[in-house]
Amino acid sequence: QITYLKETLDAPFLAPWFNNYKSAISFTFDDGYHAQTGPNVNEIFAKYNFRGTMMLGPCFIQDQSLIDSWNESLKAGYLDVGCHAYNHKEPTTLDPSEYEHEIKDAVEFLREKFPTQNVLTFATPFAHINDPYQDFLDDFVITNRLEAGGDLIVPGKEQDLYRVKAYSLNTGVNVGALLPNIEQAVKNGQWIV
């Protein structure tokens, strides 16, 4: 559970694990391709009682049939929606005048198209971020996932939840390669993304 008390805190912090679980593993998927929706993902997640976040970019999901497919996929409750910026542009190359469209408009679009979703998380395209972009994000989401490097996050410890580093699985890398990291997270009560 991520707790955010804007009136009393400078930054969000990670609360103890929901239902007193020992640790947490989050699966995130970027962009919003049709292959990421539907029965296959829900079936696998149901089998292992996994939960995941689809980091959707409005530029990838403009087609109404894809939006309908995502809404069907979300009904099962194994997935929720996070934001992956509007046009998937490299954040460090943007002029600050573009932040509103890339962040605010994207979050609002997703909340409108997926009314059952709060859209509280963000995944920065290309895993790059600068301070002005991060400052703008703070008004719309409570955490931001980068890609490169990986991190194990500890509840109750002050950490920058706008720069969460995830372990990336791309072509040629599978979950088995991350088993030592997952086992360490479980052993130490940490969160791995």
Side-chain angles (χ1 to χ4, degrees):
Q1 290 182 313
I2 296 174
T3 303
Y4 193 54
L5 304 171
K6 215 168 179 152
E7 310 79 45
T8 57
L9 295 174
D10 292 330
F13 70 93
L14 203 60
W17 302 122
F18 180 70
N19 280 348
N20 294 317
Y21 288 119
K22 185 170 172 118
S23 62
I25 300 170
S26 295
F27 295 94
T28 63
F29 304 86
D30 288 359
D31 303 332
Y33 300 112
H34 192 279
Q36 297 168 326
T37 69
N40 291 336
V41 173
N42 285 329
E43 195 175 295
I44 292 168
F45 275 44
K47 180 178 179 180
Y48 296 102
N49 198 25
F50 288 159
R51 299 294 183 273
T53 301
M54 305 309 301
M55 299 298 193
L56 301 178
C59 68
F60 295 108
I61 60 164
Q62 292 291 323
D63 182 87
Q64 186 60 46
S65 66
L66 189 53
I67 291 167
D68 294 342
S69 179
W70 275 110
N71 274 310
E72 275 303 308
S73 197
L74 294 168
K75 281 182 187 176
Y78 297 104
L79 301 170
D80 66 0
V81 172
C83 186
H84 196 39
Y86 208 101
N87 290 307
H88 203 268
K89 291 182 177 179
E90 162 64 69
T92 59
T93 65
L94 295 175
D95 184 275
S97 65
E98 296 176 89
Y99 294 170
E100 184 166 344
H101 180 64
E102 288 300 309
I103 299 169
K104 178 181 180 273
D105 292 351
V107 169
E108 288 177 355
F109 174 92
L110 294 172
R111 287 178 179 159
E112 176 190 326
K113 299 298 180 185
F114 306 103
T116 64
Q117 302 295 303
N118 289 324
V119 190
L120 299 173
T121 58
F122 200 89
T124 304
F126 304 103
H128 300 133
I129 193 169
N130 56 26
D131 290 338
Y133 193 88
Q134 178 176 326
D135 291 343
F136 197 88
L137 268 176
D138 179 46
D139 290 334
F140 302 99
V141 295
I142 60 174
T143 188
N144 176 54
R145 191 217 72 212
L146 302 176
E147 291 176 12
D151 225 348
L152 295 175
I153 299 165
V154 184
K157 182 180 171 192
E158 190 172 322
Q159 290 151 110
D160 188 349
L161 294 180
Y162 287 101
R163 296 177 190 240
V164 172
K165 294 179 182 173
Y167 292 91
S168 184
L169 298 174
N170 293 309
T171 305
V173 180
N174 63 36
V175 174
L178 293 181
L179 278 178
N181 305 85
I182 293 169
E183 288 169 353
Q184 180 183 344
V186 171
K187 179 182 172 189
N188 297 327
Q190 296 168 310
W191 173 33
I192 182 171
V193 181

